[in-house]
Amino acid sequence: VFNCDVFLFQTLNEATAVKVEIIRFDKSDSLQLLPIYFDFNDFSIRADAVENLDNIIALMNKYPKLEIQLKSYTDCRGTRVYNQYLSEKRAESSVAYIQAKINNPSRISGNGYGENSTVNGCVCEDDVKSTCSELAHQKNRRTAFFVIDK
């Protein structure tokens, strides 16, 4: 981490100094934050998700100013209201897992978005059921991670 001064020029050639803090990541650090997946109708952290979550925890502990936001989703099966609730529970369980293992837990936050952002076109309309495979639905039951600061 290093600090530097940046000068922003305003009208009438007035300069205002602004402190900018930049995090320099080691080449060995991967910022590819892979999503985790959930079982149908469940918000429990699966065993196969633990490695991804632990990698995020390690990165956040190495860089104490790093902030991450997550977005949780469901597949389209179930009502929109229930899917919104389920995605919020998935976000809560993912955030809680990480918060328990990092300094300054306020650096991770998340929201549920229900079935609003499928990755593969598996949608259900009213009483029409999707013809997608279970594997295709699985790809939509996910939590994605995004660096939001520094």
Side-chain angles (χ1 to χ4, degrees):
V1 177
F2 63 93
N3 292 315
C4 63
D5 290 326
V6 175
F7 294 93
L8 302 176
F9 292 95
Q10 299 175 346
T11 57
L12 303 175
N13 293 329
E14 296 173 4
T16 304
V18 178
K19 281 286 199 190
V20 176
E21 190 170 31
I22 300 171
I23 292 178
R24 173 187 260 162
F25 291 98
D26 295 334
K27 288 183 179 180
S28 62
D29 289 333
S30 172
L31 283 182
Q32 183 179 7
L33 304 178
L34 300 173
I36 62 170
Y37 297 94
F38 293 87
D39 291 330
F40 178 71
N41 198 30
D42 195 3
F43 56 87
S44 302
I45 301 296
R46 296 186 341 190
D48 64 343
V50 170
E51 183 178 353
N52 286 359
L53 293 173
D54 287 346
N55 287 337
I56 291 168
I57 290 164
L59 194 62
M60 292 185 82
N61 282 333
K62 185 172 183 175
Y63 300 104
K65 295 196 182 238
L66 186 69
E67 293 182 24
I68 293 179
Q69 181 180 43
L70 58 85
K71 297 179 179 182
S72 293
Y73 303 94
T74 65
D75 61 32
C76 66
R77 297 174 292 179
T79 66
R80 285 193 176 272
V81 171
Y82 179 73
N83 284 340
Q84 181 62 39
Y85 164 80
L86 183 59
S87 67
E88 290 169 6
K89 296 303 282 182
R90 288 175 177 169
E92 288 173 16
S93 66
S94 300
V95 165
Y97 183 92
I98 294 171
Q99 282 181 329
K101 298 180 179 189
I102 63 170
N103 297 326
N104 190 2
S106 66
R107 295 183 297 130
I108 180 108
S109 61
N111 292 307
Y113 294 91
E115 60 190 74
N116 290 329
S117 186
T118 60
V119 295
N120 54 13
C122 291
V123 293
C124 307
E125 295 295 330
D126 300 320
D127 293 333
V128 178
K129 295 189 179 197
S130 171
T131 58
C132 290
S133 68
E134 179 56 32
L135 182 60
H137 281 299
Q138 171 66 94
K139 292 182 186 213
N140 292 318
R141 297 190 307 263
R142 72 202 185 281
T143 292
F145 301 88
F146 303 91
V147 174
I148 60 168
D149 193 28
K150 298 177 178 63

mmCIF file of all heavy atoms in Angstrom, residues 97-141:
data_model
loop_
_atom_site.group_PDB
_atom_site.id
_atom_site.type_symbol
_atom_site.label_atom_id
_atom_site.label_comp_id
_atom_site.label_asym_id
_atom_site.label_seq_id
_atom_site.Cartn_x
_atom_site.Cartn_y
_atom_site.Cartn_z
ATOM 1 N N TYR A 97 -20.645 -15.976 6.987
ATOM 2 C CA TYR A 97 -19.488 -16.874 6.949
ATOM 3 C C TYR A 97 -18.199 -16.067 6.861
ATOM 4 O O TYR A 97 -17.238 -16.333 7.581
ATOM 5 C CB TYR A 97 -19.602 -17.828 5.754
ATOM 6 C CG TYR A 97 -18.476 -18.831 5.694
ATOM 7 C CD1 TYR A 97 -18.609 -20.079 6.295
ATOM 8 C CD2 TYR A 97 -17.279 -18.542 5.050
ATOM 9 C CE1 TYR A 97 -17.578 -21.000 6.249
ATOM 10 C CE2 TYR A 97 -16.244 -19.453 5.010
ATOM 11 C CZ TYR A 97 -16.389 -20.682 5.606
ATOM 12 O OH TYR A 97 -15.352 -21.589 5.561
ATOM 13 N N ILE A 98 -18.181 -15.077 5.988
ATOM 14 C CA ILE A 98 -16.975 -14.269 5.803
ATOM 15 C C ILE A 98 -16.753 -13.332 6.985
ATOM 16 O O ILE A 98 -15.635 -13.210 7.486
ATOM 17 C CB ILE A 98 -17.047 -13.491 4.476
ATOM 18 C CG1 ILE A 98 -17.007 -14.482 3.308
ATOM 19 C CG2 ILE A 98 -15.914 -12.471 4.371
ATOM 20 C CD1 ILE A 98 -17.294 -13.872 1.954
ATOM 21 N N GLN A 99 -17.803 -12.681 7.467
ATOM 22 C CA GLN A 99 -17.667 -11.735 8.576
ATOM 23 C C GLN A 99 -17.062 -12.383 9.812
ATOM 24 O O GLN A 99 -16.315 -11.737 10.543
ATOM 25 C CB GLN A 99 -19.021 -11.133 8.934
ATOM 26 C CG GLN A 99 -19.465 -10.047 7.997
ATOM 27 C CD GLN A 99 -20.801 -9.458 8.400
ATOM 28 O OE1 GLN A 99 -21.653 -10.135 8.974
ATOM 29 N NE2 GLN A 99 -21.004 -8.188 8.068
ATOM 30 N N ALA A 100 -17.382 -13.636 10.038
ATOM 31 C CA ALA A 100 -16.888 -14.334 11.229
ATOM 32 C C ALA A 100 -15.376 -14.543 11.190
ATOM 33 O O ALA A 100 -14.772 -14.818 12.226
ATOM 34 C CB ALA A 100 -17.593 -15.678 11.371
ATOM 35 N N LYS A 101 -14.763 -14.364 10.006
ATOM 36 C CA LYS A 101 -13.350 -14.707 9.866
ATOM 37 C C LYS A 101 -12.474 -13.560 9.371
ATOM 38 O O LYS A 101 -11.321 -13.779 9.016
ATOM 39 C CB LYS A 101 -13.219 -15.892 8.916
ATOM 40 C CG LYS A 101 -13.933 -17.132 9.443
ATOM 41 C CD LYS A 101 -13.810 -18.301 8.509
ATOM 42 C CE LYS A 101 -14.528 -19.498 9.114
ATOM 43 N NZ LYS A 101 -14.294 -20.712 8.379
ATOM 44 N N ILE A 102 -13.011 -12.334 9.333
ATOM 45 C CA ILE A 102 -12.192 -11.200 8.903
ATOM 46 C C ILE A 102 -12.212 -10.104 9.960
ATOM 47 O O ILE A 102 -13.117 -10.033 10.781
ATOM 48 C CB ILE A 102 -12.670 -10.606 7.550
ATOM 49 C CG1 ILE A 102 -14.092 -10.046 7.654
ATOM 50 C CG2 ILE A 102 -12.533 -11.610 6.426
ATOM 51 C CD1 ILE A 102 -14.536 -9.238 6.445
ATOM 52 N N ASN A 103 -11.181 -9.274 9.908
ATOM 53 C CA ASN A 103 -11.157 -8.076 10.732
ATOM 54 C C ASN A 103 -12.083 -7.062 10.076
ATOM 55 O O ASN A 103 -12.186 -7.008 8.864
ATOM 56 C CB ASN A 103 -9.740 -7.507 10.813
ATOM 57 C CG ASN A 103 -8.794 -8.485 11.479
ATOM 58 O OD1 ASN A 103 -9.181 -9.219 12.371
ATOM 59 N ND2 ASN A 103 -7.553 -8.504 11.025
ATOM 60 N N ASN A 104 -12.739 -6.260 10.865
ATOM 61 C CA ASN A 104 -13.658 -5.237 10.377
ATOM 62 C C ASN A 104 -14.718 -5.838 9.445
ATOM 63 O O ASN A 104 -14.683 -5.642 8.232
ATOM 64 C CB ASN A 104 -12.894 -4.111 9.671
ATOM 65 C CG ASN A 104 -13.788 -2.927 9.374
ATOM 66 O OD1 ASN A 104 -14.967 -2.910 9.721
ATOM 67 N ND2 ASN A 104 -13.232 -1.934 8.707
ATOM 68 N N PRO A 105 -15.663 -6.575 10.011
ATOM 69 C CA PRO A 105 -16.688 -7.259 9.217
ATOM 70 C C PRO A 105 -17.568 -6.352 8.367
ATOM 71 O O PRO A 105 -18.246 -6.832 7.463
ATOM 72 C CB PRO A 105 -17.527 -7.971 10.283
ATOM 73 C CG PRO A 105 -16.673 -8.052 11.486
ATOM 74 C CD PRO A 105 -15.756 -6.868 11.428
ATOM 75 N N SER A 106 -17.538 -5.055 8.597
ATOM 76 C CA SER A 106 -18.367 -4.158 7.786
ATOM 77 C C SER A 106 -17.843 -4.029 6.358
ATOM 78 O O SER A 106 -18.499 -3.427 5.507
ATOM 79 C CB SER A 106 -18.445 -2.777 8.437
ATOM 80 O OG SER A 106 -17.175 -2.156 8.435
ATOM 81 N N ARG A 107 -16.691 -4.620 6.057
ATOM 82 C CA ARG A 107 -16.125 -4.531 4.708
ATOM 83 C C ARG A 107 -16.782 -5.487 3.716
ATOM 84 O O ARG A 107 -16.481 -5.454 2.535
ATOM 85 C CB ARG A 107 -14.623 -4.819 4.741
ATOM 86 C CG ARG A 107 -13.853 -3.776 5.507
ATOM 87 C CD ARG A 107 -12.367 -4.026 5.469
ATOM 88 N NE ARG A 107 -12.028 -5.291 6.117
ATOM 89 C CZ ARG A 107 -11.254 -6.223 5.554
ATOM 90 N NH1 ARG A 107 -10.745 -6.053 4.357
ATOM 91 N NH2 ARG A 107 -10.972 -7.323 6.212
ATOM 92 N N ILE A 108 -17.683 -6.332 4.192
ATOM 93 C CA ILE A 108 -18.409 -7.232 3.283
ATOM 94 C C ILE A 108 -19.893 -6.990 3.464
ATOM 95 O O ILE A 108 -20.376 -6.844 4.587
ATOM 96 C CB ILE A 108 -18.046 -8.715 3.500
ATOM 97 C CG1 ILE A 108 -18.804 -9.625 2.544
ATOM 98 C CG2 ILE A 108 -18.306 -9.171 4.909
ATOM 99 C CD1 ILE A 108 -17.994 -10.208 1.473
ATOM 100 N N SER A 109 -20.586 -6.896 2.358
ATOM 101 C CA SER A 109 -22.033 -6.701 2.400
ATOM 102 C C SER A 109 -22.638 -7.453 1.230
ATOM 103 O O SER A 109 -21.940 -7.862 0.303
ATOM 104 C CB SER A 109 -22.384 -5.212 2.318
ATOM 105 O OG SER A 109 -21.915 -4.673 1.100
ATOM 106 N N GLY A 110 -23.946 -7.638 1.297
ATOM 107 C CA GLY A 110 -24.579 -8.356 0.207
ATOM 108 C C GLY A 110 -26.077 -8.162 0.165
ATOM 109 O O GLY A 110 -26.691 -7.742 1.142
ATOM 110 N N ASN A 111 -26.631 -8.487 -0.985
ATOM 111 C CA ASN A 111 -28.067 -8.400 -1.204
ATOM 112 C C ASN A 111 -28.548 -9.592 -2.009
ATOM 113 O O ASN A 111 -27.780 -10.190 -2.762
ATOM 114 C CB ASN A 111 -28.423 -7.111 -1.964
ATOM 115 C CG ASN A 111 -28.176 -5.872 -1.151
ATOM 116 O OD1 ASN A 111 -28.663 -5.754 -0.030
ATOM 117 N ND2 ASN A 111 -27.411 -4.954 -1.694
ATOM 118 N N GLY A 112 -29.822 -9.875 -1.863
ATOM 119 C CA GLY A 112 -30.459 -10.909 -2.657
ATOM 120 C C GLY A 112 -31.228 -10.282 -3.803
ATOM 121 O O GLY A 112 -31.830 -9.222 -3.646
ATOM 122 N N TYR A 113 -31.194 -10.941 -4.955
ATOM 123 C CA TYR A 113 -31.852 -10.419 -6.150
ATOM 124 C C TYR A 113 -32.824 -11.418 -6.768
ATOM 125 O O TYR A 113 -33.235 -11.260 -7.912
ATOM 126 C CB TYR A 113 -30.799 -9.990 -7.179
ATOM 127 C CG TYR A 113 -29.991 -8.819 -6.688
ATOM 128 C CD1 TYR A 113 -28.811 -9.013 -5.985
ATOM 129 C CD2 TYR A 113 -30.438 -7.522 -6.885
ATOM 130 C CE1 TYR A 113 -28.081 -7.937 -5.506
ATOM 131 C CE2 TYR A 113 -29.709 -6.436 -6.411
ATOM 132 C CZ TYR A 113 -28.525 -6.655 -5.717
ATOM 133 O OH TYR A 113 -27.810 -5.591 -5.237
ATOM 134 N N GLY A 114 -33.166 -12.449 -6.020
ATOM 135 C CA GLY A 114 -34.155 -13.403 -6.504
ATOM 136 C C GLY A 114 -33.756 -14.047 -7.808
ATOM 137 O O GLY A 114 -32.610 -14.410 -8.020
ATOM 138 N N GLU A 115 -34.714 -14.151 -8.701
ATOM 139 C CA GLU A 115 -34.500 -14.794 -9.999
ATOM 140 C C GLU A 115 -34.263 -13.767 -11.096
ATOM 141 O O GLU A 115 -34.384 -14.068 -12.281
ATOM 142 C CB GLU A 115 -35.700 -15.664 -10.336
ATOM 143 C CG GLU A 115 -37.002 -14.881 -10.422
ATOM 144 C CD GLU A 115 -38.242 -15.750 -10.521
ATOM 145 O OE1 GLU A 115 -38.626 -16.346 -9.504
ATOM 146 O OE2 GLU A 115 -38.808 -15.819 -11.631
ATOM 147 N N ASN A 116 -33.902 -12.556 -10.727
ATOM 148 C CA ASN A 116 -33.842 -11.440 -11.673
ATOM 149 C C ASN A 116 -32.686 -11.449 -12.652
ATOM 150 O O ASN A 116 -32.704 -10.687 -13.603
ATOM 151 C CB ASN A 116 -33.826 -10.109 -10.918
ATOM 152 C CG ASN A 116 -35.152 -9.826 -10.270
ATOM 153 O OD1 ASN A 116 -36.188 -10.231 -10.765
ATOM 154 N ND2 ASN A 116 -35.127 -9.143 -9.137
ATOM 155 N N SER A 117 -31.692 -12.267 -12.455
ATOM 156 C CA SER A 117 -30.525 -12.197 -13.338
ATOM 157 C C SER A 117 -30.001 -13.593 -13.641
ATOM 158 O O SER A 117 -28.949 -13.982 -13.154
ATOM 159 C CB SER A 117 -29.450 -11.339 -12.690
ATOM 160 O OG SER A 117 -28.376 -11.156 -13.570
ATOM 161 N N THR A 118 -30.724 -14.311 -14.465
ATOM 162 C CA THR A 118 -30.257 -15.641 -14.838
ATOM 163 C C THR A 118 -29.060 -15.507 -15.774
ATOM 164 O O THR A 118 -28.935 -14.540 -16.513
ATOM 165 C CB THR A 118 -31.370 -16.458 -15.522
ATOM 166 O OG1 THR A 118 -31.785 -15.765 -16.693
ATOM 167 C CG2 THR A 118 -32.550 -16.662 -14.587
ATOM 168 N N VAL A 119 -28.168 -16.499 -15.727
ATOM 169 C CA VAL A 119 -26.970 -16.454 -16.554
ATOM 170 C C VAL A 119 -27.135 -17.228 -17.859
ATOM 171 O O VAL A 119 -26.266 -17.178 -18.710
ATOM 172 C CB VAL A 119 -25.737 -16.987 -15.789
ATOM 173 C CG1 VAL A 119 -25.411 -16.085 -14.619
ATOM 174 C CG2 VAL A 119 -25.926 -18.422 -15.349
ATOM 175 N N ASN A 120 -28.247 -17.919 -18.009
ATOM 176 C CA ASN A 120 -28.354 -18.814 -19.154
ATOM 177 C C ASN A 120 -29.743 -18.880 -19.787
ATOM 178 O O ASN A 120 -30.032 -19.802 -20.534
ATOM 179 C CB ASN A 120 -27.930 -20.221 -18.740
ATOM 180 C CG ASN A 120 -28.700 -20.719 -17.538
ATOM 181 O OD1 ASN A 120 -29.703 -20.137 -17.147
ATOM 182 N ND2 ASN A 120 -28.227 -21.795 -16.955
ATOM 183 N N GLY A 121 -30.589 -17.949 -19.507
ATOM 184 C CA GLY A 121 -31.891 -17.929 -20.162
ATOM 185 C C GLY A 121 -32.914 -18.895 -19.597
ATOM 186 O O GLY A 121 -33.993 -19.049 -20.168
ATOM 187 N N CYS A 122 -32.630 -19.527 -18.485
ATOM 188 C CA CYS A 122 -33.611 -20.412 -17.843
ATOM 189 C C CYS A 122 -34.596 -19.550 -17.060
ATOM 190 O O CYS A 122 -34.309 -19.123 -15.949
ATOM 191 C CB CYS A 122 -32.924 -21.398 -16.901
ATOM 192 S SG CYS A 122 -31.928 -22.619 -17.733
ATOM 193 N N VAL A 123 -35.718 -19.290 -17.666
ATOM 194 C CA VAL A 123 -36.734 -18.470 -17.009
ATOM 195 C C VAL A 123 -38.045 -19.229 -16.951
ATOM 196 O O VAL A 123 -38.326 -20.090 -17.778
ATOM 197 C CB VAL A 123 -36.936 -17.123 -17.740
ATOM 198 C CG1 VAL A 123 -35.699 -16.265 -17.623
ATOM 199 C CG2 VAL A 123 -37.310 -17.331 -19.187
ATOM 200 N N CYS A 124 -38.837 -18.901 -15.956
ATOM 201 C CA CYS A 124 -40.160 -19.479 -15.779
ATOM 202 C C CYS A 124 -41.152 -18.323 -15.862
ATOM 203 O O CYS A 124 -40.953 -17.296 -15.216
ATOM 204 C CB CYS A 124 -40.285 -20.162 -14.424
ATOM 205 S SG CYS A 124 -38.994 -21.378 -14.068
ATOM 206 N N GLU A 125 -42.174 -18.462 -16.627
ATOM 207 C CA GLU A 125 -43.184 -17.404 -16.778
ATOM 208 C C GLU A 125 -44.523 -17.901 -16.253
ATOM 209 O O GLU A 125 -45.070 -18.876 -16.771
ATOM 210 C CB GLU A 125 -43.326 -17.009 -18.250
ATOM 211 C CG GLU A 125 -42.070 -16.374 -18.840
ATOM 212 C CD GLU A 125 -41.729 -15.039 -18.210
ATOM 213 O OE1 GLU A 125 -42.648 -14.326 -17.762
ATOM 214 O OE2 GLU A 125 -40.539 -14.712 -18.148
ATOM 215 N N ASP A 126 -45.025 -17.254 -15.236
ATOM 216 C CA ASP A 126 -46.320 -17.589 -14.652
ATOM 217 C C ASP A 126 -46.403 -19.091 -14.375
ATOM 218 O O ASP A 126 -45.633 -19.608 -13.611
ATOM 219 C CB ASP A 126 -47.462 -17.098 -15.537
ATOM 220 C CG ASP A 126 -47.407 -15.582 -15.731
ATOM 221 O OD1 ASP A 126 -47.101 -14.887 -14.740
ATOM 222 O OD2 ASP A 126 -47.640 -15.120 -16.853
ATOM 223 N N ASP A 127 -47.342 -19.783 -15.018
ATOM 224 C CA ASP A 127 -47.506 -21.226 -14.787
ATOM 225 C C ASP A 127 -46.671 -22.084 -15.735
ATOM 226 O O ASP A 127 -46.709 -23.305 -15.661
ATOM 227 C CB ASP A 127 -48.987 -21.609 -14.937
ATOM 228 C CG ASP A 127 -49.831 -20.993 -13.835
ATOM 229 O OD1 ASP A 127 -49.279 -20.736 -12.742
ATOM 230 O OD2 ASP A 127 -51.029 -20.756 -14.065
ATOM 231 N N VAL A 128 -45.924 -21.452 -16.633
ATOM 232 C CA VAL A 128 -45.088 -22.193 -17.578
ATOM 233 C C VAL A 128 -43.790 -22.577 -16.882
ATOM 234 O O VAL A 128 -43.057 -21.713 -16.396
ATOM 235 C CB VAL A 128 -44.795 -21.356 -18.839
ATOM 236 C CG1 VAL A 128 -43.891 -22.118 -19.783
ATOM 237 C CG2 VAL A 128 -46.088 -20.942 -19.512
ATOM 238 N N LYS A 129 -43.500 -23.869 -16.831
ATOM 239 C CA LYS A 129 -42.285 -24.348 -16.180
ATOM 240 C C LYS A 129 -41.133 -24.367 -17.171
ATOM 241 O O LYS A 129 -41.316 -24.644 -18.345
ATOM 242 C CB LYS A 129 -42.517 -25.746 -15.609
ATOM 243 C CG LYS A 129 -43.548 -25.724 -14.507
ATOM 244 C CD LYS A 129 -43.620 -27.035 -13.805
ATOM 245 C CE LYS A 129 -44.663 -26.916 -12.707
ATOM 246 N NZ LYS A 129 -44.569 -27.932 -11.741
ATOM 247 N N SER A 130 -39.956 -24.098 -16.678
ATOM 248 C CA SER A 130 -38.760 -24.109 -17.498
ATOM 249 C C SER A 130 -38.435 -25.530 -17.940
ATOM 250 O O SER A 130 -38.644 -26.487 -17.204
ATOM 251 C CB SER A 130 -37.588 -23.538 -16.703
ATOM 252 O OG SER A 130 -36.389 -23.723 -17.397
ATOM 253 N N THR A 131 -37.896 -25.642 -19.130
ATOM 254 C CA THR A 131 -37.459 -26.949 -19.631
ATOM 255 C C THR A 131 -35.963 -27.143 -19.442
ATOM 256 O O THR A 131 -35.390 -28.099 -19.950
ATOM 257 C CB THR A 131 -37.805 -27.091 -21.130
ATOM 258 O OG1 THR A 131 -37.168 -26.025 -21.844
ATOM 259 C CG2 THR A 131 -39.311 -27.051 -21.337
ATOM 260 N N CYS A 132 -35.319 -26.232 -18.701
ATOM 261 C CA CYS A 132 -33.883 -26.335 -18.463
ATOM 262 C C CYS A 132 -33.558 -27.536 -17.589
ATOM 263 O O CYS A 132 -34.350 -27.949 -16.739
ATOM 264 C CB CYS A 132 -33.369 -25.063 -17.782
ATOM 265 S SG CYS A 132 -33.383 -23.622 -18.841
ATOM 266 N N SER A 133 -32.357 -28.051 -17.768
ATOM 267 C CA SER A 133 -31.884 -29.173 -16.955
ATOM 268 C C SER A 133 -31.569 -28.697 -15.539
ATOM 269 O O SER A 133 -31.431 -27.494 -15.280
ATOM 270 C CB SER A 133 -30.627 -29.764 -17.576
ATOM 271 O OG SER A 133 -29.552 -28.827 -17.464
ATOM 272 N N GLU A 134 -31.415 -29.637 -14.636
ATOM 273 C CA GLU A 134 -31.040 -29.310 -13.262
ATOM 274 C C GLU A 134 -29.682 -28.607 -13.241
ATOM 275 O O GLU A 134 -29.481 -27.656 -12.488
ATOM 276 C CB GLU A 134 -31.011 -30.571 -12.399
ATOM 277 C CG GLU A 134 -30.603 -30.335 -10.961
ATOM 278 C CD GLU A 134 -31.471 -29.311 -10.225
ATOM 279 O OE1 GLU A 134 -32.679 -29.198 -10.520
ATOM 280 O OE2 GLU A 134 -30.940 -28.616 -9.335
ATOM 281 N N LEU A 135 -28.756 -29.062 -14.077
ATOM 282 C CA LEU A 135 -27.435 -28.434 -14.143
ATOM 283 C C LEU A 135 -27.549 -26.970 -14.591
ATOM 284 O O LEU A 135 -26.866 -26.099 -14.055
ATOM 285 C CB LEU A 135 -26.522 -29.208 -15.102
ATOM 286 C CG LEU A 135 -25.102 -28.692 -15.225
ATOM 287 C CD1 LEU A 135 -24.386 -28.722 -13.878
ATOM 288 C CD2 LEU A 135 -24.324 -29.530 -16.240
ATOM 289 N N ALA A 136 -28.421 -26.705 -15.549
ATOM 290 C CA ALA A 136 -28.624 -25.323 -16.000
ATOM 291 C C ALA A 136 -29.231 -24.470 -14.889
ATOM 292 O O ALA A 136 -28.807 -23.323 -14.673
ATOM 293 C CB ALA A 136 -29.507 -25.299 -17.240
ATOM 294 N N HIS A 137 -30.216 -24.999 -14.173
ATOM 295 C CA HIS A 137 -30.794 -24.256 -13.041
ATOM 296 C C HIS A 137 -29.739 -24.001 -11.969
ATOM 297 O O HIS A 137 -29.718 -22.932 -11.350
ATOM 298 C CB HIS A 137 -31.972 -25.020 -12.442
ATOM 299 C CG HIS A 137 -33.243 -24.889 -13.221
ATOM 300 N ND1 HIS A 137 -33.868 -23.685 -13.448
ATOM 301 C CD2 HIS A 137 -34.012 -25.829 -13.825
ATOM 302 C CE1 HIS A 137 -34.966 -23.874 -14.152
ATOM 303 N NE2 HIS A 137 -35.076 -25.174 -14.399
ATOM 304 N N GLN A 138 -28.851 -24.972 -11.741
ATOM 305 C CA GLN A 138 -27.805 -24.843 -10.725
ATOM 306 C C GLN A 138 -26.949 -23.602 -10.968
ATOM 307 O O GLN A 138 -26.566 -22.917 -10.027
ATOM 308 C CB GLN A 138 -26.924 -26.090 -10.722
ATOM 309 C CG GLN A 138 -25.685 -25.985 -9.863
ATOM 310 C CD GLN A 138 -25.980 -25.866 -8.393
ATOM 311 O OE1 GLN A 138 -26.006 -26.853 -7.701
ATOM 312 N NE2 GLN A 138 -26.232 -24.675 -7.916
ATOM 313 N N LYS A 139 -26.666 -23.293 -12.203
ATOM 314 C CA LYS A 139 -25.816 -22.135 -12.518
ATOM 315 C C LYS A 139 -26.453 -20.817 -12.089
ATOM 316 O O LYS A 139 -25.756 -19.825 -11.889
ATOM 317 C CB LYS A 139 -25.492 -22.116 -14.008
ATOM 318 C CG LYS A 139 -24.601 -23.268 -14.386
ATOM 319 C CD LYS A 139 -24.236 -23.249 -15.840
ATOM 320 C CE LYS A 139 -23.469 -24.524 -16.127
ATOM 321 N NZ LYS A 139 -22.474 -24.421 -17.111
ATOM 322 N N ASN A 140 -27.763 -20.795 -11.954
ATOM 323 C CA ASN A 140 -28.458 -19.577 -11.519
ATOM 324 C C ASN A 140 -28.554 -19.463 -10.002
ATOM 325 O O ASN A 140 -28.768 -18.361 -9.494
ATOM 326 C CB ASN A 140 -29.854 -19.518 -12.142
ATOM 327 C CG ASN A 140 -29.771 -19.307 -13.639
ATOM 328 O OD1 ASN A 140 -28.979 -18.513 -14.119
ATOM 329 N ND2 ASN A 140 -30.580 -20.039 -14.381
ATOM 330 N N ARG A 141 -28.387 -20.548 -9.286
ATOM 331 C CA ARG A 141 -28.444 -20.526 -7.814
ATOM 332 C C ARG A 141 -27.045 -20.215 -7.287
ATOM 333 O O ARG A 141 -26.306 -21.099 -6.869
ATOM 334 C CB ARG A 141 -28.936 -21.878 -7.286
ATOM 335 C CG ARG A 141 -30.334 -22.226 -7.706
ATOM 336 C CD ARG A 141 -30.875 -23.440 -6.977
ATOM 337 N NE ARG A 141 -30.036 -24.617 -7.031
ATOM 338 C CZ ARG A 141 -30.195 -25.631 -7.895
ATOM 339 N NH1 ARG A 141 -31.173 -25.608 -8.778
ATOM 340 N NH2 ARG A 141 -29.387 -26.672 -7.848
#
